Amino acid sequence: GAVVSQHPSWVICKSGTSVKIECRSLDFQATTMFWYRQFPKQSLMLMATSNEGSKATYEQGVEKDKFLINHASLTLSTLTVTSAHPEDSSFYICSAAGQLNTEAFFGQGTRLTVV
Amino acid sequence: GENVEQHPSTLSVQEGDSAVIKCTYSDSASNYFPWYKQELGKRPQLIIDIRSNVGEKKDQRIAVTLNKTAKHFSLHITETQPEDSAVYFCAAGDSWGKFQFGAGTQVVVTP
């Protein structure tokens, strides 16, 4: 299957700082990427849909000014958690779909810990 | 929007027995239903999927059924093995990869 790479795999940051997470599709072009958040022992919650060259679409309850998404190319989407707080500590996972009728491929996830 | 419910939340089975996980969805526009297996701290791995124009699909020990009318779909694992122990998520959505996930089922297969 296709490869989606996410970086970093884990990050620890201080409260109030910002953290950027990258999601890359390595061997295919991803017009659309998705960002999910997963708290311990919980399900994956869709945060936003990232479209190349346009503004992201955020799910209800997700603060767009706090979770900045940029999708500048067909192989890269970034999620920036601004002014991070301990409650933002979570597992963030991206996924990308190449063409219609193909499965979505997940990145390996980023474990964010805010101290 | 789409709402996916998944049951049971935990499932303990004896090695060799079958495991069944059930999901329901709310949005009749959903046309793609994947199942993922996730081990602790790792990314979800697709194990099987089914599209709305198919009622059943099987891949070795794993099968999925879909009832569009009732908005139900189920995962069946036969001849379970200890390595099948993990959290399983159902999802519903479109073919572009936008999903709503179920709450997950912790499957424990005991030797």
Side-chain angles (χ1 to χ4, degrees), chain A residues 12-89:
Chain A
I12 301 173
C13 72
K14 291 185 177 181
S15 187
T17 61
S18 296
V19 173
K20 180 185 284 188
I21 301 169
E22 294 185 347
C23 180
R24 294 181 184 273
S25 56
L26 298 185
D27 52 1
F28 69 103
Q29 293 183 328
T31 306
T32 305
M33 291 185 176
F34 304 91
W35 288 95
Y36 295 85
R37 178 169 52 181
Q38 186 176 32
F39 292 108
K41 296 187 178 181
Q42 293 189 24
S43 187
L44 289 81
M45 300 300 297
L46 180 64
M47 299 176 66
T49 302
S50 170
N51 296 297
E52 187 265 337
S54 63
K55 290 184 179 181
T57 303
Y58 291 82
E59 295 298 301
Q60 192 172 6
V62 178
E63 300 175 57
K64 62 179 182 179
D65 294 330
K66 181 170 183 61
F67 299 100
L68 301 180
I69 292 172
N70 183 277
H71 195 155
S73 77
L74 285 171
T75 59
L76 174 64
S77 175
T78 61
L79 167 68
T80 301
V81 183
T82 63
S83 188
H85 291 284
E87 55 264 32
D88 297 325
S89 299

Side-chain angles (χ1 to χ4, degrees), chain B residues 1-108:
Chain B
E2 178 63 271
N3 181 46
V4 179
E5 295 193 359
Q6 183 172 345
H7 299 281
S9 56
T10 59
L11 182 58
S12 294
V13 295
Q14 202 76 17
E15 183 178 0
D17 289 348
S18 295
V20 180
I21 304 171
K22 298 183 178 182
C23 288
T24 62
Y25 63 100
S26 62
D27 189 351
S28 56
S30 291
N31 59 14
Y32 179 64
F33 307 90
W35 285 87
Y36 288 89
K37 176 182 180 181
Q38 187 180 31
E39 297 178 353
L40 191 62
K42 297 188 177 180
R43 78 183 87 190
Q45 297 281 357
L46 179 72
I47 55 171
I48 196 166
D49 57 11
I50 192 167
R51 302 187 187 277
S52 59
N53 58 349
V54 176
E56 186 174 353
K57 184 176 178 180
K58 187 174 182 180
D59 182 4
Q60 299 183 339
R61 297 186 298 110
I62 296 173
V64 58
T65 58
L66 171 65
N67 183 328
K68 282 177 55 181
T69 303
K71 296 194 184 70
H72 289 172
F73 57 115
S74 300
L75 177 72
H76 303 251
I77 305 174
T78 58
E79 300 172 29
T80 53
Q81 302 167 3
E83 51 265 38
D84 293 330
S85 297
V87 179
Y88 291 80
F89 292 100
C90 63
D94 60 38
S95 298
W96 289 106
K98 181 178 180 180
F99 307 141
Q100 294 293 337
F101 282 82
T105 298
Q106 175 74 62
V107 173
V108 177

